[in-house]
Amino acid sequence: MGATGKQPEWLDDAVFYEIYPQSFLDSNSDGIGDINGITQKLDYIKELGCNAIWINPCFTSPFGDAGYDVEDYYSVAPRYGTNEDLARLFAEAHQREMHVLLDLVPGHTAVTHKWFKESMKAQKNEYTDRYIWTDSVWEEPQGMGCIRGISDRDGACVVNFFSHQPALNYGYYEQKCPWQQSMDDEGPKATLEAMKDVMRFWLKMGCDGFRVDMAGSLVKNDPEGKGNILLWQNIRTFLNEEFPKAAMVSEWGEPDKSLQGGFHMDFLLHFGPSHYNDLFRCEEPFFSSRGKGDISAFVEKYRENYEKSERKGLICIPSGNHDMDRLARTIKGDELKIAFAFLLSMPGAPFIYYGDEIGMRYVEGLTSVEGGYNRTGSRSPMQWNDGLNAGFSTAAAEKLYIAQDSVADRPTVFAQMEDKNSLYHEIQKLIKIRRAHPALLNKGEIEFVYAKKDTYPFAYVRSSGDERILVVLNPSDKKVSFPYEGVLGENIYQFGRDVTGDGTTVNVDARTAAFITLN
């Protein structure tokens, strides 16, 4: 299995809140959210029930891809504040028994990074092999985009995502061209050590770990992921020695591989084979009251990954993130509450995307901002209250990072906190119940009881030690039933109407979710 890391204890009951820093709270009236704005709202995040935060990239950047194009890994982007501001955020979070993950982007940089500027030079230097270059400007890397014709150096440089994000060189697992270096060559080894130095810097400052962007993409020509697993095992050994409490969460989407690599948790991705979008973001989502969705393919894939990852509660299911449509674009009202009953009763650490707790909407028809394109509508500024710019900023509206939802009834934190039946309060209640029951926590086991094709409801049992809890979810507008042999105990959570059982069948009213102890 290679190097593994003991999971930090705080991850056992972690509920994460994802913050897109430029859209959360602007503390200095420039129209862009910042680090001090996050610090000001730590008590709000804690009151919701979240005890951990993931901050999207906040490093110096030309912002061609909203900060996922890093220009300097060692400095906070001036628009967000200073390194001192970030150190203070870590300290303030720790005082509240909260933890903070930074977003590490190890696969590529901005073209403005000093490493890339040196790498472009025709004369050999210590950064010549920091990126992946072909031997000739006329030779394109097969199956990958490239940058070429911009430097004295002869060669085309592989890109990792957008055409302005040159790929850092960690080597090729299978080498098919002379310019493809092995993982053991000096250039790839130096790149890996440079990334360890970046991690060291922020961990020493007080960061609690990293969410790693595109974690499975570093070693190239690696069809089975073996090279990337080896690379992350190397990093895991370094962390075990120097920072054993650092948490590592991967954007990989293949939990069996990320676990072998020493990650503690992996994200369920909204693309690829996970069927995550079947739940919330498709023509007929499972969590729609129309009752035309299908949960079965999602469950089948989840079960497969759960077994592969040794039933360790490794798979994190987010409410959404900066890369996908807002949850409230396709499901609304009570549907959102039942969706959160699911999200907050599954294994793995839940991740709540800022604003999803109040049902913030996808803002339609926006022009792309900083490489957002169709994702821009999910990145609009947080809506705190009914004041100027919904309490996000005291700048003029045209200066805001992204235009806000302008609809008169847009949800706000203030309104939702005032309304005891709001989505905000439902999520707050669900997190409290999750924390009170070991079976519902991140490592509690799961057994799917009822997940039939094109059928409702969805039911599963969470367990830990002697505690067993049946979770029943019926977002549809029809009363349904399913076969279940067993005596139902106490309802520890109820939304909607009744769930009843006679020892052989469980009946579930429309638009209902319940957590029931089992005797």
Side-chain angles (χ1 to χ4, degrees):
M1 178 72 61
T4 55
K6 184 177 183 297
Q7 182 166 299
E9 283 182 18
W10 65 266
L11 272 182
D12 291 352
D13 74 341
V15 177
F16 280 89
Y17 191 83
E18 179 193 346
I19 296 177
Y20 195 67
Q22 51 269 63
S23 294
F24 194 58
L25 183 67
D26 170 19
S27 72
N28 63 357
S29 306
D30 64 356
I32 297 174
D34 45 51
I35 302 295
N36 288 339
I38 297 171
T39 305
Q40 284 178 33
K41 292 296 183 180
L42 286 174
D43 288 335
Y44 163 78
I45 296 165
K46 185 166 185 183
E47 194 178 338
L48 175 65
C50 296
N51 57 359
I53 295 169
W54 157 31
I55 301 174
N56 291 121
C58 54
F59 309 123
T60 300
S61 168
F63 293 102
D65 185 20
Y68 281 91
D69 46 337
V70 178
E71 182 176 296
D72 180 0
Y73 287 105
Y74 291 95
S75 64
V76 168
R79 74 185 198 179
Y80 297 141
T82 64
N83 285 16
E84 288 72 24
D85 292 334
L86 191 50
R88 188 169 71 88
L89 169 60
F90 297 148
E92 292 283 340
H94 295 158
Q95 281 181 16
R96 293 163 175 79
E97 297 184 324
M98 300 168 77
H99 295 84
V100 183
L101 298 188
L102 292 181
D103 209 323
L104 184 69
V105 188
H108 51 262
T109 69
V111 288
T112 50
H113 197 295
K114 67 180 182 185
W115 296 347
F116 189 66
K117 289 178 179 175
E118 292 297 314
S119 189
M120 285 197 298
K121 291 179 177 175
Q123 299 78 20
K124 191 166 178 61
N125 60 64
E126 69 173 294
Y127 300 104
T128 297
D129 294 327
R130 183 57 51 92
Y131 298 82
I132 304 169
W133 293 82
T134 66
D135 288 334
S136 163
V137 73
W138 312 119
E139 183 181 4
E140 294 182 359
Q142 285 183 322
M144 304 185 85
C146 66
I147 309 170
R148 58 181 177 173
I150 61 165
S151 67
D152 298 337
R153 178 176 181 168
D154 190 6
C157 184
V158 171
V159 298
N160 219 35
F161 190 57
F162 284 143
S163 58
H164 54 73
Q165 290 167 317
L168 286 164
N169 180 21
Y170 295 92
Y172 279 67
Y173 191 69
E174 296 174 357
Q175 295 141 266
K176 297 176 180 175
C177 300
W179 49 267
Q180 293 175 351
Q181 298 184 344
S182 84
M183 294 173 66
D184 295 323
D185 282 338
E186 289 308 310
K189 287 204 295 192
T191 305
L192 181 56
E193 292 309 311
M195 203 50 61
K196 287 181 193 172
D197 285 342
V198 171
M199 296 169 78
R200 248 184 216 107
F201 180 82
W202 295 108
L203 289 165
K204 282 181 177 174
M205 194 180 287
C207 159
D208 296 296
F210 302 94
R211 174 268 186 187
V212 179
D213 182 64
M214 296 175 67
S217 75
L218 274 53
V219 178
K220 306 302 184 191
N221 278 8
D222 186 23
E224 295 176 10
K226 291 178 180 175
N228 280 289
I229 290 168
L230 283 169
L231 180 142
W232 287 109
Q233 285 176 347
N234 182 310
I235 290 176
R236 168 47 56 203
T237 301
F238 140 67
L239 290 172
N240 285 350
E241 289 170 1
E242 297 185 33
F243 304 97
K245 292 184 178 174
M248 295 292 284
V249 180
S250 60
E251 183 195 37
W252 194 321
E254 297 182 81
D256 53 318
K257 292 175 183 170
S258 59
L259 177 68
Q260 287 182 63
F263 281 96
H264 299 115
M265 292 183 175
D266 190 18
F267 273 108
L268 200 65
L269 299 179
H270 55 290
F271 51 87
S274 74
H275 289 277
Y276 167 88
N277 283 338
D278 295 1
L279 307 176
F280 315 117
R281 297 173 182 83
C282 63
E283 200 171 321
E284 291 293 349
F286 180 80
F287 284 97
S288 162
S289 60
R290 290 188 297 274
K292 295 179 180 177
D294 179 25
I295 196 80
S296 62
F298 165 81
V299 169
E300 188 179 334
K301 196 67 190 174
Y302 183 95
R303 189 185 277 128
E304 179 190 318
N305 278 329
Y306 184 64
E307 293 299 333
K308 276 186 186 171
S309 58
E310 301 172 14
R311 307 173 72 85
K312 287 190 176 174
L314 177 83
I315 308 163
C316 303
I317 307 179
S319 69
N321 67 27
H322 57 289
D323 283 336
M324 48 179 125
D325 288 357
R326 282 272 182 195
L327 207 53
R329 194 180 193 190
T330 40
I331 60 174
K332 307 182 189 315
D334 288 352
E335 297 167 343
L336 285 167
K337 293 178 180 177
I338 297 172
F340 270 100
F342 161 75
L343 288 162
L344 291 166
S345 62
M346 286 290 284
F351 279 72
I352 299 172
Y353 184 47
Y354 84 95
D356 279 357
E357 74 275 18
I358 59 169
M360 266 178 67
R361 304 177 183 119
Y362 179 91
V363 183
E364 305 285 348
L366 294 180
T367 301
S368 177
V369 175
E370 294 183 356
Y373 301 100
N374 61 306
R375 306 172 295 180
T376 302
S378 298
R379 301 175 175 185
S380 60
M382 183 66 169
Q383 294 151 202
W384 294 102
N385 56 43
D386 293 330
L388 179 67
N389 300 319
F392 164 69
S393 171
T394 52
E398 63 271 13
K399 280 191 170 181
L400 298 192
Y401 173 69
I402 288 171
Q404 283 186 303
D405 182 356
S406 59
V407 179
D409 69 344
R410 66 187 176 192
T412 66
V413 169
F414 178 79
Q416 292 247 328
M417 289 177 95
E418 291 288 293
D419 173 9
K420 68 179 191 301
N421 295 316
S422 68
L423 177 63
Y424 168 89
H425 283 299
E426 203 65 32
I427 290 170
Q428 197 178 43
K429 184 195 303 180
L430 281 160
I431 295 173
K432 277 184 184 160
I433 292 167
R434 181 184 179 93
R435 288 246 163 76
H437 294 275
L440 294 173
L441 287 177
N442 305 351
K443 286 181 172 176
E445 295 218 355
I446 186 167
E447 177 194 346
F448 295 103
V449 171
Y450 194 78
K452 295 278 190 290
K453 186 168 174 57
D454 300 328
T455 305
Y456 288 74
F458 177 30
Y460 45 93
V461 173
R462 298 292 315 279
S463 59
S464 178
D466 295 334
E467 186 177 48
R468 297 174 72 236
I469 295 170
L470 176 68
V471 176
V472 183
L473 305 166
N474 179 24
S476 80
D477 55 10
K478 297 179 184 67
K479 185 171 182 174
V480 292
S481 62
F482 66 99
Y484 183 75
E485 291 187 9
V487 179
L488 302 187
E490 177 195 356
N491 264 26
I492 55 172
Y493 172 75
Q494 180 82 38
F495 173 76
R497 286 171 290 179
D498 290 332
V499 177
T500 57
D502 61 10
T504 59
T505 304
V506 174
N507 301 298
V508 195
D509 272 327
R511 302 188 184 199
T512 292
F515 304 168
I516 305 161
T517 59
L518 296 174
N519 299 326

